[in-house]
Amino acid sequence: MNSFWNGKRRFVALLMFLAGVFVALEVPPVIPFIQLPGENFPAGYNIPFTDIRITNTFVAAVIVWILLLLFVVYVIRRRPQSATEVPPGGFYNMFEMLFEGLMGFVGGIAGGRHFRLIFNMFMTIFLIVLVANWMELVPGVDTIGFIHPHVKEKYDAETDKYKVVTTDGFEIYQGFLGISYVNGQCDWISPADEAAADDAALVQAQAAALAAEQALIEDAAYARYQAAHDDHGDEEQGDHADEASDDHGDDHAEEVKESDAAAAAYNDVLAAREAEKQARAGRGCYTGVAPAPWQDGYTGDDKSAKKDIPLHPDPSSEEAKLVPWVVLPFVRVASTDLNMTLALGLISFVMIQYVGFKALGIGYLTKFFNFSTLFKSPLGGIDVAVGLLELIGDFAKILSFSFRLLGNIFAGSIVLFVMSFLVPILPWPFFILEFFVGVIQALVFALLTAIFMNLATISHHHDDDHDHAEAH
Amino acid sequence: MDPQSTIILGKAIGAGLAMIGAAGGGIGIGISVGGAVMAMGRNPDHTATIQTNMILGVAFAEAVAIYALVVSLIILFVLS
């Protein structure tokens, strides 16, 4: 096998490079769209039995869990059952090397009475964060997904619901480096809503026309009534027939006039509606594209609705111009979602406090509320302030943990897809960079947890006194 | 100037100002790497330990710059 590939690998690499050039030229990469919160899947993709929409970062988190579970099962089954058995090689050996190395590493930092607990926490966090971070290097993550017009969910206070607004409505500004951002000037109006608005305008116009006619008729009737009253005394009974026919003629003339006024009122309302539409179009908001799968009013059976927004629109076609197209990836790295990193930060915070209470009992609280020296020493007040600062600092750890991981990995994935967009052929150096950033961030997160847990187990007073004794 | 441009202008300026914070991270990384290299020069036997600790320190210093980056990203993409 080896001899077969000798001297041929470079040609394989060259071939792949040429294939990369060809693909980059033939299928230009999609302009990256950057969004900080995890993106919701289209309507209908709920977490089973709930109303909660799946996000693509959640999918990544589930994949991480599954991978880790498989890993755990594998390690437990391959583990040597007795001391005399020869350890298996391959992947298991690599894991053992990693495990032993890290065990020594953590032992040097937090090797004490609570080493087992601290090391378990360290290893758990390290593996979760490591697998989650490295997922950004897998081809297809962040790049394969639903191609859809640019949509955004917006909270509607009136109906207390999230409503999907988009695309036709939204303008995309192309900024530096092809990073696009959204102008939420106008909301998406579904064709159904637009038709309903048209109908409403029609009804309104008819009502206006009717009202105008009614007003004219009433005016005329009043005028006639007035005239009849004024003339009543002078008129003779015999002229009545004549008068009646005259009235009839007058009525006819007025009816023509009434119709004119009604038509004017009718046209006014419709013209106002038309002007409203024109103004919307002038702002770059369009309607009339059928609802897509993620929009209200979409029916899965309706093939015609799908046909109106093709999944891969011809760039030169008119309908493609209406809509800014972006990718909603199926899987986005879990660490780029604040929910994930904040959850890990909270877990780590809770474990720090837990191990503190476990080691020092209720006396652990004196680290934060230190009144013992308040009346004994002249500078006792400083100890109180320091304790309170430490309380604040402990809560700040949550933020610092979660933002460190989020920021590093989010920035890394932006770098990856911006570079893939700018230099589609050669983004490899950045993948190597992100490989190391993934390891380092996982290590930093886990190591800081271990260090803080170890610090929490050490009695504050005892340590202080010890230091003083040594110093003097 | 129309309001939309004003908003974009404000966001761009704000994001740029927020990134000034990255300078602190850069200074920190420079100092720690400089110190580590000097230490490695003095006792090359401890290169592995020094390197590990240096990378950790660099990651912490970088975290400050990353906070600035997060703030500027929030200004650009979340504020509307």
Side-chain angles (χ1 to χ4, degrees), chain A residues 228-297:
Chain A
H229 252 269
D230 285 351
D231 297 349
H232 196 65
D234 316 328
E235 292 294 326
E236 288 294 303
Q237 204 76 344
D239 293 340
H240 221 268
D242 251 9
E243 222 178 271
S245 71
D246 270 5
D247 266 3
H248 196 74
D250 274 358
D251 259 3
H252 207 74
E254 269 170 358
E255 213 172 297
V256 175
K257 247 195 285 169
E258 281 157 24
S259 302
D260 270 354
Y266 187 84
N267 285 338
D268 271 358
V269 174
L270 284 192
R273 167 76 188 139
E274 198 56 40
E276 190 185 308
K277 271 178 163 175
Q278 289 290 332
R280 262 172 56 77
R283 288 204 308 267
C285 318
Y286 302 94
T287 49
V289 187
W294 52 89
Q295 288 162 350
D296 295 338

Coordinates of all heavy atoms in Angstrom, one line a residue, chain A residues 228-297:
Chain A
A228 N -91.1 71.6 -0.2 CA -92.6 71.3 -0.2 C -93.2 72.0 1.0 O -94.3 72.6 0.8 CB -92.7 69.7 0.1
H229 N -92.5 72.2 2.1 CA -93.1 72.9 3.2 C -93.3 74.3 2.9 O -94.3 74.9 3.2 CB -92.1 72.7 4.4 CG -92.7 71.9 5.5 ND1 -93.4 72.3 6.5 CD2 -92.6 70.5 5.6 CE1 -93.8 71.3 7.2 NE2 -93.3 70.2 6.7
D230 N -92.3 74.9 2.2 CA -92.4 76.4 1.9 C -93.5 76.6 1.0 O -94.3 77.6 1.1 CB -91.1 76.8 1.2 CG -90.0 77.0 2.3 OD1 -90.3 76.9 3.5 OD2 -88.8 77.2 1.9
D231 N -93.7 75.7 0.0 CA -94.7 75.9 -1.1 C -96.1 75.5 -0.7 O -97.0 75.8 -1.3 CB -94.3 75.2 -2.3 CG -92.9 75.7 -2.9 OD1 -92.5 76.8 -2.3 OD2 -92.3 75.1 -3.7
H232 N -96.2 74.8 0.4 CA -97.4 74.0 0.7 C -98.6 74.9 0.7 O -99.7 74.6 0.1 CB -97.3 73.3 2.0 CG -98.4 72.2 2.1 ND1 -98.4 71.1 1.3 CD2 -99.4 72.2 3.0 CE1 -99.5 70.4 1.7 NE2 -100.1 71.0 2.7
G233 N -98.5 76.1 1.4 CA -99.7 77.0 1.6 C -100.2 77.5 0.2 O -101.4 77.5 0.1
D234 N -99.3 77.8 -0.7 CA -99.7 78.5 -2.0 C -100.3 77.5 -3.0 O -101.2 77.9 -3.8 CB -98.6 79.3 -2.6 CG -97.7 80.0 -1.5 OD1 -98.4 80.4 -0.5 OD2 -96.5 80.1 -1.7
E235 N -99.7 76.3 -2.9 CA -100.1 75.4 -4.0 C -101.5 74.9 -4.0 O -102.1 74.7 -2.9 CB -99.1 74.1 -4.0 CG -97.7 74.4 -4.3 CD -97.5 74.9 -5.7 OE1 -98.2 74.4 -6.6 OE2 -96.6 75.7 -5.9
E236 N -102.0 74.7 -5.2 CA -103.4 74.1 -5.3 C -103.3 72.6 -5.5 O -102.3 72.1 -5.9 CB -104.1 74.7 -6.6 CG -104.5 76.2 -6.4 CD -105.5 76.4 -5.4 OE1 -106.6 75.8 -5.5 OE2 -105.3 77.2 -4.4
Q237 N -104.5 72.0 -5.1 CA -104.5 70.6 -5.2 C -104.4 70.0 -6.6 O -103.8 69.0 -6.8 CB -105.8 70.1 -4.5 CG -105.8 68.7 -4.0 CD -105.0 68.6 -2.7 OE1 -104.3 69.5 -2.3 NE2 -105.2 67.4 -2.0
G238 N -104.8 70.8 -7.5 CA -104.9 70.3 -8.9 C -103.6 70.2 -9.6 O -103.4 69.4 -10.5
D239 N -102.6 71.0 -9.1 CA -101.2 70.9 -9.8 C -100.4 69.7 -9.3 O -99.3 69.6 -9.7 CB -100.4 72.2 -9.4 CG -101.1 73.4 -10.1 OD1 -101.8 73.2 -11.0 OD2 -100.8 74.5 -9.6
H240 N -101.0 69.0 -8.4 CA -100.2 67.9 -7.8 C -99.5 66.9 -8.7 O -98.4 66.6 -8.6 CB -101.0 67.2 -6.7 CG -100.2 66.9 -5.5 ND1 -99.5 65.8 -5.3 CD2 -100.1 67.7 -4.4 CE1 -98.9 65.9 -4.1 NE2 -99.3 67.1 -3.5
A241 N -100.3 66.5 -9.7 CA -99.8 65.5 -10.6 C -98.6 66.0 -11.4 O -97.6 65.4 -11.5 CB -100.9 65.1 -11.6
D242 N -98.7 67.3 -11.8 CA -97.6 67.9 -12.5 C -96.3 67.9 -11.7 O -95.2 67.6 -12.1 CB -98.0 69.4 -12.8 CG -98.2 69.6 -14.3 OD1 -98.2 68.5 -15.0 OD2 -98.3 70.7 -14.7
E243 N -96.6 68.4 -10.5 CA -95.4 68.5 -9.5 C -94.7 67.2 -9.3 O -93.5 67.1 -9.3 CB -95.9 69.0 -8.2 CG -95.0 70.0 -7.6 CD -95.5 70.5 -6.3 OE1 -96.3 71.5 -6.3 OE2 -95.2 69.9 -5.2
A244 N -95.6 66.1 -9.2 CA -95.0 64.8 -9.0 C -94.1 64.4 -10.1 O -93.0 63.9 -9.9 CB -96.1 63.7 -8.8
S245 N -94.5 64.7 -11.4 CA -93.7 64.3 -12.5 C -92.4 65.1 -12.5 O -91.3 64.6 -12.8 CB -94.5 64.5 -13.8 OG -94.6 65.9 -14.1
D246 N -92.5 66.4 -12.1 CA -91.3 67.3 -12.0 C -90.3 66.7 -11.0 O -89.1 66.6 -11.3 CB -91.7 68.7 -11.6 CG -92.1 69.6 -12.7 OD1 -92.0 69.0 -13.9 OD2 -92.3 70.8 -12.5
D247 N -90.9 66.3 -9.9 CA -90.0 65.7 -8.9 C -89.3 64.5 -9.4 O -88.1 64.4 -9.2 CB -90.9 65.2 -7.7 CG -91.0 66.3 -6.6 OD1 -90.4 67.4 -6.9 OD2 -91.6 66.1 -5.6
H248 N -90.0 63.7 -10.2 CA -89.4 62.5 -10.7 C -88.2 62.9 -11.6 O -87.1 62.3 -11.5 CB -90.5 61.7 -11.5 CG -90.0 60.3 -11.7 ND1 -90.0 59.4 -10.8 CD2 -89.6 59.7 -12.9 CE1 -89.5 58.3 -11.3 NE2 -89.3 58.5 -12.5
G249 N -88.4 63.9 -12.4 CA -87.3 64.4 -13.3 C -86.1 64.8 -12.5 O -85.0 64.5 -12.8
D250 N -86.4 65.6 -11.5 CA -85.3 66.1 -10.6 C -84.6 65.0 -10.0 O -83.3 65.0 -10.0 CB -85.9 67.0 -9.5 CG -86.1 68.4 -9.9 OD1 -85.8 68.7 -11.1 OD2 -86.7 69.2 -9.1
D251 N -85.3 64.0 -9.5 CA -84.7 62.8 -8.9 C -83.7 62.2 -9.9 O -82.6 61.8 -9.5 CB -85.7 61.7 -8.6 CG -86.0 61.8 -7.1 OD1 -85.5 62.7 -6.4 OD2 -86.8 61.0 -6.6
H252 N -84.1 62.0 -11.1 CA -83.3 61.4 -12.1 C -82.0 62.2 -12.3 O -80.9 61.6 -12.3 CB -84.0 61.3 -13.4 CG -83.6 60.2 -14.2 ND1 -83.9 58.9 -13.9 CD2 -82.8 60.2 -15.4 CE1 -83.3 58.1 -14.8 NE2 -82.7 58.8 -15.7
A253 N -82.1 63.5 -12.4 CA -80.9 64.3 -12.6 C -80.0 64.2 -11.4 O -78.8 64.0 -11.5 CB -81.3 65.8 -12.7
E254 N -80.6 64.2 -10.2 CA -79.7 64.1 -9.0 C -79.0 62.8 -8.9 O -77.9 62.7 -8.4 CB -80.6 64.3 -7.7 CG -80.7 65.7 -7.3 CD -81.7 66.0 -6.2 OE1 -82.4 65.0 -5.9 OE2 -81.9 67.1 -5.8
E255 N -79.7 61.7 -9.4 CA -79.1 60.4 -9.3 C -77.8 60.3 -10.1 O -76.8 59.7 -9.7 CB -80.1 59.3 -9.9 CG -80.0 58.0 -9.2 CD -81.1 57.1 -9.7 OE1 -82.3 57.4 -9.5 OE2 -80.8 56.1 -10.3
V256 N -77.8 61.0 -11.3 CA -76.6 61.0 -12.0 C -75.5 61.7 -11.2 O -74.3 61.3 -11.1 CB -76.8 61.7 -13.4 CG1 -75.5 61.9 -14.1 CG2 -77.8 61.0 -14.2
K257 N -75.9 62.8 -10.6 CA -74.9 63.6 -9.8 C -74.4 62.7 -8.7 O -73.2 62.7 -8.4 CB -75.6 64.8 -9.2 CG -75.0 66.1 -9.8 CD -75.4 67.3 -9.0 CE -76.9 67.7 -9.2 NZ -77.4 68.7 -8.2
E258 N -75.3 62.0 -8.0 CA -74.9 61.1 -6.9 C -73.9 60.1 -7.3 O -72.9 59.9 -6.7 CB -76.2 60.4 -6.3 CG -77.1 61.2 -5.4 CD -78.5 60.7 -5.4 OE1 -78.6 59.4 -5.7 OE2 -79.4 61.4 -5.1
S259 N -74.1 59.5 -8.4 CA -73.2 58.5 -8.9 C -71.8 59.0 -9.1 O -70.8 58.4 -8.8 CB -73.7 57.9 -10.2 OG -75.0 57.4 -10.0
D260 N -71.8 60.3 -9.7 CA -70.5 60.9 -9.8 C -69.7 61.0 -8.5 O -68.6 60.7 -8.4 CB -70.7 62.3 -10.4 CG -70.6 62.2 -12.0 OD1 -70.3 61.1 -12.5 OD2 -70.9 63.3 -12.6
A261 N -70.5 61.5 -7.5 CA -69.8 61.7 -6.2 C -69.4 60.4 -5.6 O -68.3 60.3 -5.1 CB -70.8 62.4 -5.3
A262 N -70.3 59.4 -5.8 CA -69.9 58.1 -5.2 C -68.7 57.5 -5.9 O -67.8 57.0 -5.2 CB -71.1 57.1 -5.4
A263 N -68.6 57.7 -7.2 CA -67.5 57.1 -8.0 C -66.2 57.8 -7.5 O -65.2 57.2 -7.3 CB -67.7 57.3 -9.4
A264 N -66.3 59.1 -7.3 CA -65.2 59.9 -6.8 C -64.7 59.4 -5.5 O -63.5 59.1 -5.3 CB -65.5 61.4 -6.7
A265 N -65.6 59.2 -4.5 CA -65.3 58.6 -3.2 C -64.6 57.3 -3.3 O -63.6 57.0 -2.7 CB -66.5 58.6 -2.3
Y266 N -65.2 56.4 -4.2 CA -64.8 55.1 -4.4 C -63.3 55.1 -4.9 O -62.4 54.4 -4.4 CB -65.7 54.4 -5.4 CG -65.5 53.0 -5.7 CD1 -66.0 52.0 -4.9 CD2 -64.7 52.6 -6.8 CE1 -65.9 50.7 -5.2 CE2 -64.5 51.3 -7.1 CZ -65.1 50.3 -6.3 OH -64.9 49.0 -6.5
N267 N -63.1 56.0 -5.9 CA -61.8 56.0 -6.5 C -60.7 56.6 -5.6 O -59.6 56.2 -5.6 CB -61.8 56.9 -7.8 CG -62.5 56.2 -8.9 OD1 -62.5 54.9 -8.9 ND2 -63.0 56.9 -9.9
D268 N -61.2 57.5 -4.7 CA -60.3 58.1 -3.7 C -59.7 57.1 -2.8 O -58.4 57.0 -2.7 CB -61.0 59.2 -2.9 CG -61.0 60.5 -3.5 OD1 -60.3 60.6 -4.6 OD2 -61.6 61.5 -2.9
V269 N -60.5 56.2 -2.3 CA -60.1 55.1 -1.4 C -59.1 54.2 -2.1 O -58.0 53.9 -1.6 CB -61.3 54.4 -0.8 CG1 -60.7 53.2 0.1 CG2 -62.1 55.3 0.0
L270 N -59.5 53.8 -3.3 CA -58.6 52.8 -4.0 C -57.3 53.5 -4.4 O -56.2 52.9 -4.3 CB -59.3 52.3 -5.3 CG -60.4 51.3 -5.0 CD1 -60.8 50.7 -6.3 CD2 -59.9 50.2 -4.0
A271 N -57.3 54.8 -4.7 CA -56.1 55.5 -5.1 C -55.1 55.6 -3.9 O -53.9 55.4 -4.0 CB -56.4 56.9 -5.6
A272 N -55.8 55.8 -2.7 CA -55.0 55.9 -1.5 C -54.3 54.5 -1.2 O -53.1 54.5 -0.9 CB -55.8 56.2 -0.3
R273 N -55.0 53.5 -1.4 CA -54.4 52.1 -1.2 C -53.3 51.9 -2.2 O -52.2 51.3 -1.9 CB -55.6 51.1 -1.4 CG -55.1 49.7 -1.6 CD -54.7 49.0 -0.3 NE -54.1 47.7 -0.5 CZ -53.1 47.3 0.1 NH1 -52.5 48.0 1.0 NH2 -52.6 46.1 -0.1
E274 N -53.5 52.3 -3.5 CA -52.5 52.1 -4.5 C -51.2 52.9 -4.1 O -50.1 52.4 -4.3 CB -53.1 52.6 -5.9 CG -52.3 52.1 -7.0 CD -52.2 50.5 -7.1 OE1 -53.2 49.9 -6.7 OE2 -51.1 50.0 -7.4
A275 N -51.4 54.1 -3.6 CA -50.3 55.0 -3.3 C -49.5 54.3 -2.1 O -48.3 54.4 -2.1 CB -50.8 56.4 -2.8
E276 N -50.2 53.7 -1.2 CA -49.6 53.0 -0.1 C -48.6 51.9 -0.6 O -47.5 51.8 -0.2 CB -50.7 52.4 0.8 CG -50.2 51.9 2.1 CD -51.4 51.3 2.9 OE1 -52.4 51.9 3.0 OE2 -51.2 50.1 3.2
K277 N -49.2 51.2 -1.6 CA -48.4 50.1 -2.2 C -47.2 50.6 -2.9 O -46.1 50.1 -2.8 CB -49.3 49.3 -3.2 CG -50.1 48.2 -2.6 CD -50.9 47.6 -3.8 CE -51.4 46.2 -3.6 NZ -52.3 45.8 -4.7
Q278 N -47.4 51.7 -3.6 CA -46.3 52.3 -4.4 C -45.2 52.8 -3.4 O -44.0 52.6 -3.7 CB -46.8 53.5 -5.2 CG -47.7 53.2 -6.4 CD -46.9 52.5 -7.5 OE1 -45.7 52.7 -7.6 NE2 -47.6 51.6 -8.2
A279 N -45.6 53.3 -2.3 CA -44.7 53.8 -1.3 C -43.8 52.7 -0.8 O -42.6 52.8 -0.6 CB -45.4 54.6 -0.2
R280 N -44.5 51.6 -0.5 CA -43.8 50.4 0.0 C -42.8 49.9 -1.0 O -41.6 49.6 -0.7 CB -44.8 49.3 0.3 CG -45.2 49.1 1.7 CD -46.3 48.2 1.9 NE -46.0 46.8 1.4 CZ -45.2 46.0 1.9 NH1 -44.7 46.3 3.1 NH2 -45.0 44.8 1.4
A281 N -43.2 49.8 -2.3 CA -42.3 49.4 -3.3 C -41.1 50.3 -3.5 O -40.0 49.9 -3.7 CB -43.1 49.2 -4.7
G282 N -41.4 51.6 -3.3 CA -40.4 52.6 -3.4 C -39.3 52.4 -2.3 O -38.1 52.7 -2.5
R283 N -39.7 51.9 -1.2 CA -38.7 51.7 -0.1 C -38.0 50.4 -0.3 O -37.1 50.0 0.5 CB -39.4 51.6 1.2 CG -39.9 52.9 1.8 CD -40.1 52.9 3.3 NE -40.9 51.8 3.7 CZ -42.1 51.8 3.9 NH1 -42.8 52.9 3.7 NH2 -42.8 50.8 4.3
G284 N -38.3 49.6 -1.4 CA -37.6 48.4 -1.6 C -38.3 47.2 -1.0 O -37.8 46.2 -0.8
C285 N -39.6 47.4 -0.7 CA -40.4 46.3 -0.1 C -41.3 45.7 -1.2 O -41.9 46.4 -1.9 CB -41.3 46.8 1.0 SG -40.4 47.9 2.1
Y286 N -41.3 44.4 -1.3 CA -42.1 43.8 -2.4 C -43.0 42.8 -1.8 O -42.7 42.2 -0.7 CB -41.2 43.1 -3.4 CG -40.2 44.0 -4.0 CD1 -38.9 44.1 -3.5 CD2 -40.5 44.7 -5.1 CE1 -38.0 44.9 -4.1 CE2 -39.6 45.6 -5.7 CZ -38.3 45.6 -5.2 OH -37.4 46.5 -5.7
T287 N -44.1 42.5 -2.4 CA -44.9 41.4 -2.0 C -45.3 40.6 -3.3 O -44.8 40.9 -4.4 CB -46.2 41.9 -1.4 OG1 -46.8 42.9 -2.3 CG2 -46.0 42.4 0.0
G288 N -46.1 39.6 -3.1 CA -46.5 38.9 -4.3 C -45.8 37.6 -4.5 O -46.1 36.8 -5.3
V289 N -44.7 37.4 -3.7 CA -44.0 36.1 -3.8 C -44.7 35.2 -2.8 O -45.0 35.6 -1.7 CB -42.5 36.3 -3.4 CG1 -41.8 35.0 -3.6 CG2 -41.9 37.4 -4.2
A290 N -45.0 34.0 -3.3 CA -45.8 33.0 -2.5 C -45.0 32.7 -1.2 O -43.8 32.7 -1.2 CB -46.0 31.8 -3.3
P291 N -45.7 32.4 -0.1 CA -45.0 32.0 1.1 C -44.1 30.8 1.0 O -44.5 29.8 0.4 CB -46.2 31.8 2.1 CG -47.3 31.5 1.3 CD -47.2 32.3 0.0
A292 N -43.0 30.9 1.5 CA -42.0 29.8 1.5 C -42.2 28.9 2.7 O -43.0 29.3 3.6 CB -40.6 30.4 1.5
P293 N -41.6 27.8 2.8 CA -41.8 26.8 3.9 C -41.8 27.4 5.3 O -42.4 26.9 6.2 CB -40.7 25.8 3.7 CG -40.5 25.8 2.3 CD -40.6 27.2 1.8
W294 N -41.0 28.4 5.5 CA -40.8 29.0 6.9 C -41.8 30.1 7.2 O -41.8 30.7 8.2 CB -39.4 29.4 7.1 CG -39.0 30.4 6.0 CD1 -39.2 31.7 6.0 CD2 -38.4 30.0 4.8 NE1 -38.8 32.2 4.9 CE2 -38.3 31.2 4.1 CE3 -38.1 28.8 4.2 CZ2 -37.8 31.2 2.8 CZ3 -37.5 28.9 2.9 CH2 -37.4 30.0 2.3
Q295 N -42.7 30.4 6.2 CA -43.5 31.5 6.4 C -44.9 31.1 6.7 O -45.4 30.0 6.3 CB -43.5 32.4 5.1 CG -42.2 33.1 5.0 CD -42.0 33.6 3.6 OE1 -42.8 33.3 2.7 NE2 -41.0 34.5 3.4
D296 N -45.7 32.0 7.4 CA -47.1 31.7 7.6 C -47.8 31.6 6.3 O -47.5 32.3 5.3 CB -47.7 32.9 8.4 CG -47.1 33.0 9.8 OD1 -46.5 32.0 10.3 OD2 -47.1 34.1 10.4
G297 N -48.8 30.8 6.3 CA -49.6 30.6 5.1 C -49.1 29.6 4.1 O -49.7 29.4 3.1

